[in-house]
Amino acid sequence: MLNKHPEALDYKAIRIAGIEGKRYDISIRDGRFTSVKETVPEESAGQAGYSGEWLLEGESGQPEPVQPAGAAIPQADLWISPGIIDLHTHLAWTDFDHADQLKRSSGEVEAMQGAAFGATLRTGVTTARDAGGITPQTIRHLVRSYGHPLRVETSSEMLGSADALGTKFLEGRLAEIYATGAGWVKIMATGGLGAPAEKVLDPVFSEEEFNFIVRHAHAHQIKVLVHTWGGVTIDWSIRAGVESIEHGMFLTADQAGRLAESHTAYVSTASIYRIAADPSGVLALPQVICDRAARAAEAHSRAIGYARSAGVRFGFGTDYATPALHGYNLQELDTLLDYGLTRAEAWHSATSGAAEILGRGHDLGRIAEGYLADAVIWNADPFQARSADVLRESIVSVITGETEAELTGGR
């Protein structure tokens, strides 16, 4: 099911998800797409003067329509899409309550983290941005030890209320994060499910501290993502020029307009709040937490509607953080569709749009020549799947373009 860094792989007359009525011959060499060519439509085969991709010079010097061998009658209907990019996950966490994770042995925690990598890959996610909890060193160890070539960008540790001790203290904390090799800094700008409703929008940092973190990170070529449920910290994020805000369920229409103008990405992580709101669901959280999650979920659909109307850049993220959730990342697509995104918009947020947010739009997130061959092969049209469960069951294989050695820097 997992095809790691294929040296040579060819697909004849395969469909690209989201492109209707066309088939493509696709070649992969050494983990990259080297050729993506539209095949001759069946109704055009044998017609003189066809001006498609597959013209060869005949003996007479006149163009003759020629189809590649095996392209006219494919052995099976298959679809290909770019690998999914989850911009907000927590691969190091094994339990919803961190205190429960501390009760586990280090070996048990590592095995569960390795399983999380494998489950994430099997569901079609080939790139993840970890939003706090795992370091590049741990990622390298897990990729090497468990053989799961998941590409992970990390923010290592999160900056939260315990760090709101002034800019001098924050300077030291940022230096510690940079030393891990993290490419992102995460600011916990407001509370979350653990905060009472009347306080959840209160800023964790002062505006001076918040701006200092962003300026310092950018001066060191580090990107910034901001956990914010809403309120003034969204305004701060827009003005400071952060790369993305996360959650944002109390985003207003006015803020959505300014978010779009600033080109700041919005990673809503909407499905996790519907999951958390169900007291009998896989997380089985206390009722007070379920009630807060239900309030957040109700607000989320409005915020996403504001963002879509304003033209905000959407990024796909799940905020999944336990064994019960890793591997079910595609549920986020269902929620985005339920909240008003079109199928094309939801898939864009999870592929090429997400790659652009990572600064990888030049080589990741597309089925295109020269791009990394991170891809998913499906046995049914993924754009027609009625649910994430059906979508997940239609996965034939997951292709990863880079080798484990490349992902770990050879270390």
Side-chain angles (χ1 to χ4, degrees):
M1 183 180 182
L2 181 59
N3 197 333
K4 304 177 185 179
H5 186 72
E7 293 184 6
L9 186 61
D10 297 293
Y11 290 96
K12 297 293 185 181
I14 194 170
R15 304 173 193 266
I16 295 179
I19 301 178
E20 296 290 336
K22 295 181 179 180
R23 293 177 183 266
Y24 294 83
D25 286 353
I26 296 175
S27 294
I28 297 170
R29 297 291 182 271
D30 294 324
R32 287 189 179 267
F33 294 110
T34 56
S35 179
V36 180
K37 302 290 186 183
E38 184 183 349
T39 62
V40 175
E42 293 178 19
E43 63 272 16
S44 300
Q47 294 180 9
Y50 176 73
S51 59
E53 295 283 349
W54 295 101
L55 285 179
L56 298 180
E57 292 295 320
E59 292 182 359
S60 65
Q62 297 299 317
E64 294 180 3
V66 178
Q67 280 186 286
I73 305 175
Q75 294 179 340
D77 273 341
L78 295 175
W79 284 256
I80 187 171
S81 77
I84 305 300
I85 300 172
D86 188 337
L87 291 173
H88 193 122
T89 185
H90 294 278
L91 293 161
W93 295 357
T94 62
D95 299 87
F96 186 84
D97 188 338
H98 187 61
D100 291 330
Q101 179 164 325
L102 295 177
K103 300 173 185 176
R104 299 182 185 274
S105 69
S106 59
E108 183 183 14
V109 169
E110 179 184 306
M112 293 174 75
Q113 292 170 343
F117 273 54
T120 300
L121 276 168
R122 286 192 297 273
T123 204
V125 174
T126 55
T127 300
R129 182 182 65 174
D130 190 273
I134 198 166
T135 65
Q137 180 180 4
T138 300
I139 291 164
R140 290 191 293 269
H141 172 72
L142 292 171
V143 171
R144 283 195 307 265
S145 300
Y146 293 87
H148 299 313
L150 179 66
R151 181 182 301 101
V152 184
E153 296 195 10
T154 181
S155 53
S156 293
E157 303 172 28
M158 300 177 290
L159 292 175
S161 56
D163 302 302
L165 299 174
T167 59
K168 187 67 176 176
F169 179 84
L170 285 167
E171 186 173 21
R173 286 289 289 121
L174 287 165
E176 292 172 358
I177 293 172
Y178 304 158
T180 69
W184 293 80
V185 163
K186 181 180 180 181
I187 305 175
M188 296 289 295
T190 69
L193 287 175
E198 67 274 12
K199 295 184 177 180
V200 73
L201 301 187
D202 292 351
V204 168
F205 294 95
S206 69
E207 186 173 7
E208 179 189 12
E209 290 171 325
F210 183 95
N211 288 332
F212 174 82
I213 295 168
V214 178
R215 286 197 310 270
H216 198 280
H218 285 170
H220 288 79
Q221 290 74 55
I222 305 295
K223 303 181 184 73
V224 179
L225 67 152
V226 177
H227 163 112
T228 171
W229 274 35
V232 69
T233 56
I234 291 182
D235 301 323
W236 294 355
S237 297
I238 293 169
R239 290 198 295 266
V242 307
E243 277 68 29
S244 69
I245 65 164
E246 320 290 300
H247 319 307
M249 61 285 290
F250 295 105
L251 176 78
T252 67
D254 175 68
Q255 287 174 326
R258 288 185 281 115
L259 203 64
E261 290 174 1
S262 69
H263 213 50
T264 306
Y266 177 33
V267 183
S268 59
T269 70
S271 61
I272 188 63
Y273 295 97
R274 294 206 301 192
I275 294 167
D278 182 0
S280 61
V282 296
L283 295 179
L285 299 173
Q287 189 60 53
V288 64
I289 302 297
C290 292
D291 291 344
R292 292 170 185 170
R295 177 174 175 262
E298 181 182 4
H300 237 147
S301 61
R302 292 192 296 272
I304 288 172
Y306 294 147
R308 181 175 182 267
S309 296
V312 171
R313 300 169 67 201
F314 277 93
F316 177 96
T318 61
D319 206 9
Y320 290 177
T322 67
L325 295 174
H326 292 307
Y328 293 89
N329 309 60
L330 300 177
Q331 292 176 128
E332 182 71 15
L333 290 172
D334 285 353
T335 305
L336 293 174
L337 295 175
D338 289 347
Y339 288 177
L341 266 63
T342 67
R343 201 168 293 269
E345 289 168 341
W347 276 82
H348 176 78
S349 77
T351 53
S352 57
E356 290 166 4
I357 293 166
L358 292 177
R360 296 292 299 271
H362 61 287
D363 70 345
L364 193 64
R366 297 178 186 271
I367 307 298
E369 293 178 6
Y371 277 60
L372 281 166
D374 278 18
V376 186
I377 306 299
W378 317 81
N379 64 16
D381 185 354
F383 272 48
Q384 300 302 318
R386 66 178 182 273
S387 70
D389 289 340
V390 173
L391 188 60
R392 189 171 58 253
E393 290 170 2
S394 70
I395 295 175
V396 174
S397 64
V398 178
I399 303 169
T400 59
E402 289 186 292
T403 65
E404 291 164 18
E406 289 170 328
L407 289 172
T408 59
R411 288 173 283 182

